[in-house]
Amino acid sequence: MNIQEREERHALEVYPRRGVSIVRGAGATLWDDQGNAYLDCASGVGVASVGHANPAVAQALAEQAQTLVTCPGIFFNDQRGQLMETLVGLAPDGLNRVFLCNSGTESTEAALKFARKTTGRSGVVAAMRGFHGRTLGALSATFKYRDAFEPLLSGCQFVPLNKLEKLDAAITEDTAAVLLEPIQGEGGVRPAHVEFLSAARQLCDERGAMLVIDEVQTGFCRTGTFFACEALNLVPDLLCLAKGIAGGVPMGAVLCSDKIDVTVGVHGSTFGGNPLACAAALAAIGFMQENDLAAQARSKGDYFTRHFEAKRPERVREVRQFGLMIGIELKEKATPYLQALLAQGVIALPAGPTVIRLLPPLVISESELDTVVTALHTALAN
Ligand SMILES: *Cc1c(COP(=O)(O)O)cnc(C)c1O
């Protein structure tokens, strides 16, 4: 029985599969069990920003695994404290407190609970096409994937992205949280306009709601600044982080402003803030800083767009590129082209029905990007 057959026999099938068994990675390259190499423009969905099998992360993991793997939140820990200090140092001013968890959806759950506890309200305003995770609370604030799971949390409302009057009408005295991605990832690489986000900030202040910004996908240098909030001059009350935070190791975090008022016992997580993940995160973030991955994301993203647009295929409607978060919107369905790319050894992602999304490791080289551009031009040729 090969790898695929064994998984197919036992896995609960919740993922659309691509018929490839990946067994190894290094930098921006993945290998399958047959020894075929792929250029990875998915990064495990935006996770492997520092590259697969990053040596600094691997070493930190090996050392920490031999020191201390688990340590509950009732005790202090050296790795955890250092990571919190690092995160607060990198975040927009005023986000001074950290809650650590294990995934993006857990960061949304925590943020929603903290906003509810702080405001004593329960309403949530989120954006159409927004994605915040798949557990029941986060799903309640997510636009898609909900149908089979109603009833979800009541009081969640969706407004069209960048429609100011709709946002204004939706935020009321019952709103606990306004939850937004600075650039929608799963929803198609669609940016929130700076005016929309600053209006959200102002309306939250006026009406006593908490502004929750979900940077699970945009954070950690992906869009060309350490956090997308930086480029937008935006200071949320709660900032959700995960994906790229720990070099591939499961981790999530919520950064909180001084407004957030939670007390002992309000929330917790067995694995959250474990020293192993914290050590990985410290190594990954250290690598991002030493190599200025934010600047790399900017220049490589621009490099990609310049070369891709030089010979833009007819069936492309629009390219939306923010650092190395790239959406190529087609005039037709994207799935067949994802398969054509895979056949050429390039792994890419969908983002909605018509968008090809590229989230390569930020360590990808320009010559690797040349290969990606050539594969895209070939796959999308008429
Ligand atoms: C991926 C994602 C999540 C969910 O993260 P998981 O780790 O899969 O739970 C939440 N918000 C955004 C913006 C994401 O891209």
Side-chain angles (χ1 to χ4, degrees), residues 93-380:
D93 282 346
L95 297 178
N96 297 321
R97 301 257 165 198
V98 185
F99 175 79
L100 293 171
C101 52
N102 312 287
S103 68
T105 200
E106 281 182 45
S107 74
T108 309
E109 294 293 331
L112 292 178
K113 283 181 71 178
F114 299 161
R116 285 178 68 149
K117 177 72 176 57
T118 299
T119 60
R121 308 168 177 182
S122 63
V124 176
V125 176
M128 291 176 180
R129 290 203 175 102
F131 182 84
H132 303 288
R134 296 194 186 246
T135 53
L136 289 169
L139 187 63
S140 302
T142 288
F143 192 58
K144 267 174 66 182
Y145 311 112
R146 2 175 351 111
D147 291 357
F149 305 101
E150 305 275 4
L152 289 163
L153 287 182
S154 59
C156 290
Q157 273 187 78
F158 298 93
V159 297
L161 190 67
N162 298 327
K163 286 279 183 298
L164 272 167
E165 14 7 295
K166 300 282 188 192
L167 185 70
D168 189 351
I171 303 174
T172 67
E173 305 285 291
D174 299 321
T175 308
V178 174
L179 172 58
L180 297 166
E181 295 159 273
I183 301 164
Q184 294 185 332
E186 304 306 306
V189 189
R190 294 173 206 277
H193 298 158
V194 65
E195 306 79 43
F196 184 75
L197 292 168
S198 46
R201 175 68 281 174
Q202 195 186 333
L203 291 167
C204 282
D205 288 342
E206 285 171 13
R207 296 172 199 174
M210 297 296 114
L211 179 62
V212 187
I213 295 295
D214 181 348
E215 288 227 41
V216 167
Q217 193 158 144
T218 54
F220 296 99
C221 306
R222 172 60 58 192
T223 66
T225 47
F226 214 95
F227 297 117
C229 278
E230 230 172 283
L232 295 158
N233 225 341
L234 183 66
V235 183
D237 300 303
L238 293 149
L239 180 65
C240 295
L241 303 171
K243 292 205 162 101
I245 188 172
V249 173
M251 176 175 259
V254 186
L255 272 54
C256 311
S257 77
D258 294 334
K259 275 189 226 163
I260 299 308
D261 179 20
V262 294
T263 43
V264 169
V266 155
H267 199 47
S269 162
T270 298
F271 289 129
N274 71 82
L276 189 72
C278 290
L282 281 166
I285 293 168
F287 184 90
M288 291 171 197
Q289 292 175 308
E290 279 156 34
N291 296 282
D292 199 352
L293 287 195
Q296 290 202 40
R298 277 199 301 279
S299 68
K300 289 169 181 176
D302 294 346
Y303 178 90
F304 169 88
T305 302
R306 211 160 53 241
H307 289 253
F308 181 75
E309 295 279 35
K311 241 176 63 186
R312 176 202 271 235
E314 256 306 298
R315 51 173 54 87
V316 172
R317 186 185 302 284
E318 187 179 42
V319 178
R320 296 187 285 272
Q321 175 250 321
F322 309 89
L324 280 174
M325 181 170 185
I326 303 167
I328 302 171
E329 172 138 22
L330 305 182
K331 298 171 184 164
E332 57 193 293
K333 295 247 181 298
T335 315
Y337 300 102
L338 294 173
Q339 279 153 1
L341 286 169
L342 187 63
Q344 292 184 77
V346 172
I347 296 172
L349 293 162
T354 58
V355 178
I356 297 175
R357 179 176 38 153
L358 307 176
L359 300 171
L362 309 180
V363 297
I364 195 168
S365 67
E366 289 190 349
S367 75
E368 287 170 325
L369 283 173
D370 291 340
T371 307
V372 173
V373 167
T374 305
L376 279 163
H377 283 158
T378 306
L380 295 170

